[in-house]
């Protein structure tokens, strides 16, 4: 059905990109902690950043850069220190990072974008960064996506990566993406980060519009614990190296590209939700029947974010009452006589009233979606979510949201990593 | 400092009220489950109800009653069945409950208000209710508040009750209240309920205004798990039996009465937060420096509701990063350079940047606030909350919110009560 196919290669699948990930000594663990994505030519750049009032230095840096110039060559990301709540010295550290990389790449500083993840209140370990950058640039490779994906994680259990290919004007066009995030953890490890590369030629304004819409339908529609980070960043490059005709306004080709961009973002977003702290399953909430899509997404997010719904799913309890209560408090008006709730294939509530259903079978449905990660990580299933389908009326609005269940391990992870 | 003193007697402390609580056989547990509060004369009545789109029959019933008539004689509350998502039969059950009670009290049906708490989707056990009502009315007593408070609980660990007294025009005036609530539990047990009695003479419009403002500063400022119930109800009666001059507009006496009403509501709200599922401590968040009070309360509620902050407090971890992140995502603009965070007496963040502090001592401060309930329940301490004080600027807005920590037992309670 989809107008594209999955390919390998992550952010280096699109033409004209290289990536790298190394251990620079920023993380105390000695795991990879410095990542770089480079486009061989200047690429159109768009970004979506945290709406928090408490922002990391890199977020302010990227916002200013992208306001001044809608193109870029490189994205540098460090893991270990969030460089948030670090004051003016944090700002200078961010600027120095960009300058060091620009010199090493022999390009203008204004073509560098930055991201950080790690402990809030900690500055980047600049000595380690300074000695790491030459090594990082030397490691750049056209197959470097996995190394980059592995160097942006903090306490994620799996790396997140995807690449899709379609055709535009009979030529192949690719979008690749990597992401990290599983809550705000260990003890202040924060951040949802996602980097997307594309080799289509798109105008800057259109690319930003597409990215903002795709973010709403993906990263802005997932919830692990409701806590927006200080460092959340989604950055997307489009470098035109597919040699396809430039897309400058909406139309069939733009829609095709945007749909594929949305699919890439949704894959990464679901991977983040499934990797939520302590999660044993992915939950997809589908809402229909609202006046518009925004309202549907709002209800979907409220249900996906409800601690009570999440606890019930962890308990394998087909508890429609909590789903109904969450839908009711989402801030979207509807008639409760129109409320319908399905869990997988089980119709639990119709016309606002409970139905008889096979409780054991519904509980078994919840069990099959739960898969503990194997002890050797790096794999996750996204194809068997718990599906909660809610209809609230006859409107044409639809929306989806993704989340995960709430387990003992969530509390354990967040309570026991005492500083 | 306060302009009143605490007295005994709960909702029967004010003059001209009787109350009762009995076991009518609605709860499977055989515990008390039917409560009644009666004013000897027609009382001004005001109410604040759930904003959820999915509402219990009693909520619609009370809203309609109070729109048609701003006075009442009695509040009937059943525990065990929420009578929410029960359709037209649920509406008829609510109406029949009111008619039965009116007949037994020999008053007009339109003077009866209703509340329900218990399992969503279950109708009230009408046979048990029918045979219970005569017994309930026969049990009415001027010292019946504790019996009523004990009959409205579901899985609460303690009953919640308070009474305060002040003077208006040199005569004593009293406000009493009882409440229940500790989340939405076991497995669909829902609801925050609070009933307040007062013997002052107040005009209906003013009484409703006072109650709405008091609710915003109390029940609307607590959060256990962010899940608004289908049955939340706060009902307040004022019967004039103190024989004080009628209060019909704002002024010194109205302000005095409203302050005491707010204190009663805040006591009950804190008692509910402290009794949150699995909680080991009460958390009070104090926010200052916003443009207005609403913005301050919004930040305070966001911090009190953050799963990450709540987990950290349970872990006795003075984790200012999570507090800063929660403040930042509350939707209230501020300059992060102005952010200041105190935990008890410990200043953790100033001018948006972390300070050195005695981490062991701050953790010890968190420990002292944590008190497990004794195995024999019915007592709770509200005088040693964890205090998180946040300042975001130089504005004059202030606001408070209350919550509790997030423990393993929260997940256990909500996951393991599988239906």
């Amino acid at each position: 059905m989809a107008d594209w196919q999955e390919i390998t290669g992550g952010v280096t699948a699109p033409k004209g990109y290289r990536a790298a990930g190394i251990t620079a000594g920023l993380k105390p663990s000695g795991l990879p902690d410095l990542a770089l994505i480079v486009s061989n030519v200047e690429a159109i750049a768009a970004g979506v950043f945290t709406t928090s009032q408490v922002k990391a230095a890199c977020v302010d840096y990227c916002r200013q850069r992208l306001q001044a110039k809608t193109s870029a060559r490189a994205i540098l990301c460090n893991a270990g220190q969030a460089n948030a709540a670090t004051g003016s010295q944090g700002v200078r550290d961010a600027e120095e990072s960009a300058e060091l990389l620009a010199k090493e790449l022999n390009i203008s500083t204004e073509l560098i974008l930055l991201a950080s993840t790690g402990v809030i209140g900690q500055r980047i370990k600049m000595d380690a960064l300074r000695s790491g950058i030459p090594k990082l640039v030397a490691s750049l490779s056209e197959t470097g996506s996995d190394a980059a994906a592995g160097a942006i994680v903090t306490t994620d259990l799996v790396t997140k990566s995807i690449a899709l290919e379609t055709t535009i004007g009979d030529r192949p066009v690719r979008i690749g993406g990597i992401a990290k995030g599983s809550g705000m953890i260990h003890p202040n490890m924060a951040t949802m980060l996602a980097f997307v590369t594309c080799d289509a030629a798109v105008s800057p304004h259109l690319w930003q519009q597409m990215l903002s819409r795709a973010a709403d339908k993906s990263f802005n529609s997932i919830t692990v614990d409701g806590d927006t980070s200080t460092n959340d960043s989604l950055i997307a490059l489009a470098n035109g190296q597919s040699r396809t005709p430039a897309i400058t306004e909406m139309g069939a080709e733009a829609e095709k590209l945007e749909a594929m961009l949305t699919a890439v973002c949704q894959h990464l977003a679901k991977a983040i939700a499934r990797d939520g702290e302590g999660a044993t399953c992915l939950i997809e909430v589908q809402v229909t029947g609202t006046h518009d899509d925004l309202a549907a997404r709002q209800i979907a997010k409220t249900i996906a974010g409800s601690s009570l719904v999440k606890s019930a799913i962890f308990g394998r309890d087909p508890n429609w009452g909590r789903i109904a209560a969450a839908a009711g408090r989402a801030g979207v008006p509807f008639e409760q006589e129109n409320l319908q709730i399905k869990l997988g294939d089980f119709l639990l509530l119709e016309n606002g009233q409970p139905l008889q259903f096979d409780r054991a079978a519904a509980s078994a449905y919840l069990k099959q979606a739960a898969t503990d990660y194997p002890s050797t990580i790096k794999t996750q299933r996204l194809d068997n979510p718990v599906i909660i389908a809610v209809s609230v009326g006859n409107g044409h609005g639809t929306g989806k949201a993704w989340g995960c269940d709430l387990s003992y391990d969530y509390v354990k992870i967040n309570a026991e990593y005492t500083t």
Side-chain angles (χ1 to χ4, degrees), chain A:
Chain A
M1 199 184 84
D3 219 4
W4 52 76
Q5 57 180 358
E6 192 167 337
I7 56 174
T8 58
V11 287
T12 45
K15 282 192 81 169
Y17 290 95
R18 290 169 297 153
I22 64 161
T23 299
L26 298 164
K27 283 182 186 167
S29 64
L31 291 171
D33 49 22
L34 198 59
L36 177 63
I37 301 168
V38 171
S39 170
N40 295 337
V41 298
E42 211 167 304
I44 296 305
V48 177
F49 301 94
T50 183
T51 55
S52 177
Q53 298 296 313
V54 179
K55 300 176 298 289
C58 56
V59 168
D60 283 333
Y61 174 94
C62 284
R63 276 224 184 85
Q64 285 161 19
R65 280 269 176 267
L66 291 175
Q67 249 164 21
K69 192 174 177 70
T70 54
S71 62
R73 281 282 310 276
I75 306 167
L76 175 68
C77 177
N78 77 283
Q81 296 84 41
N83 199 20
T86 46
S88 51
Q89 186 57 50
V91 174
R92 283 194 291 276
D93 290 344
E95 281 163 1
E96 190 191 336
S97 305
E99 285 157 13
L100 288 167
L101 178 63
K103 193 172 289 180
E104 195 67 27
L105 288 172
N106 198 23
I107 61 175
S108 158
T109 306
E110 63 184 8
L111 294 172
I112 310 281
L113 296 172
L114 299 175
S116 297
T117 179
V119 182
I120 297 177
Q122 289 194 4
R123 287 175 50 200
I124 301 170
K125 290 185 184 169
M126 290 305 289
D127 283 347
L129 187 93
R130 285 183 200 107
S131 56
I133 280 183
K135 193 177 148 197
L136 183 70
V137 171
S139 308
L140 279 170
S141 131
E142 288 183 0
T143 56
S145 182
D146 286 351
I152 64 172
V153 297
T154 49
T155 52
D156 305 52
L157 294 180
V158 298
T159 58
K160 289 103 185 166
S161 172
I162 181 78
L164 301 178
E165 181 176 283
T166 188
T167 53
I168 285 181
D170 291 334
R171 288 187 64 88
V173 165
R174 303 153 202 98
I175 299 180
I178 59 173
K180 64 106 5 185
S182 70
M184 281 182 60
I185 33 181
H186 189 36
N188 279 322
M189 289 291 188
T191 313
M192 192 290 295
L193 295 180
F195 308 121
V196 171
T197 57
C198 172
D199 52 16
V202 201
S203 68
H205 183 64
L206 196 60
W207 187 234
Q208 178 67 54
Q209 281 186 335
M210 287 181 178
L211 188 69
S212 296
R213 284 192 293 255
D216 279 340
K217 291 181 184 169
S218 57
F219 301 106
N220 288 340
S221 295
I222 58 171
T223 174
V224 170
D225 49 22
D227 275 275
T228 307
S229 149
T230 51
N231 290 48
D232 289 342
S233 300
L234 162 64
I235 299 174
L237 306 179
N239 69 0
Q241 293 298 289
S242 62
R243 309 285 174 198
T244 45
I247 299 173
T248 57
E249 55 188 25
M250 287 311 291
E253 296 190 332
E255 281 170 20
K256 201 172 179 179
L257 190 70
E258 181 171 338
M260 191 162 80
L261 176 65
T262 304
V264 164
C265 291
Q266 284 183 343
H267 174 92
L268 296 173
K270 283 193 255 189
I272 290 172
R274 176 62 188 86
D275 198 17
E277 295 163 326
T280 72
C281 66
L282 176 67
I283 300 172
E284 175 168 312
V285 183
Q286 307 170 343
V287 174
T288 57
T290 51
H291 180 68
D292 58 25
D293 291 352
L294 193 66
R297 209 180 305 142
Q298 194 173 327
I299 294 175
K301 278 182 77 170
T302 304
I303 295 170
S306 160
S307 293
L308 288 168
V309 171
K310 290 154 63 89
S311 302
I313 303 288
F314 175 62
R316 316 308 166 206
D317 176 11
N319 195 321
W320 62 265
R322 294 185 186 172
I323 299 168
R329 69 174 166 85
V332 175
F334 63 84
E335 296 300 321
Q336 68 185 72
E337 295 79 48
N338 295 332
L339 188 62
Q340 187 192 80
I341 297 175
K342 278 181 78 178
L343 188 66
D345 292 332
F346 299 90
L347 186 59
L348 309 185
L349 192 83
E350 199 168 33
N351 303 322
Q353 295 186 47
L355 301 178
Q356 296 295 326
F357 65 96
D358 184 340
R359 194 168 283 275
S363 185
Y365 166 73
L366 294 175
K367 279 197 190 77
Q368 64 76 35
T371 46
D372 283 329
Y373 283 127
S375 53
T376 53
I377 57 160
K378 308 283 172 196
T379 58
Q380 62 173 191
R381 285 186 66 181
L382 299 180
D383 61 345
N384 64 332
V386 167
I387 294 180
I388 297 172
V390 173
S391 174
V392 299
N394 300 315
H396 295 295
T398 64
K400 287 184 185 175
W402 296 273
C404 58
D405 55 343
L406 176 61
S407 73
Y408 299 119
D409 281 352
Y410 177 86
V411 180
K412 186 169 181 170
I413 291 166
N414 284 295
E416 291 196 354
Y417 284 98
T418 301
T419 45

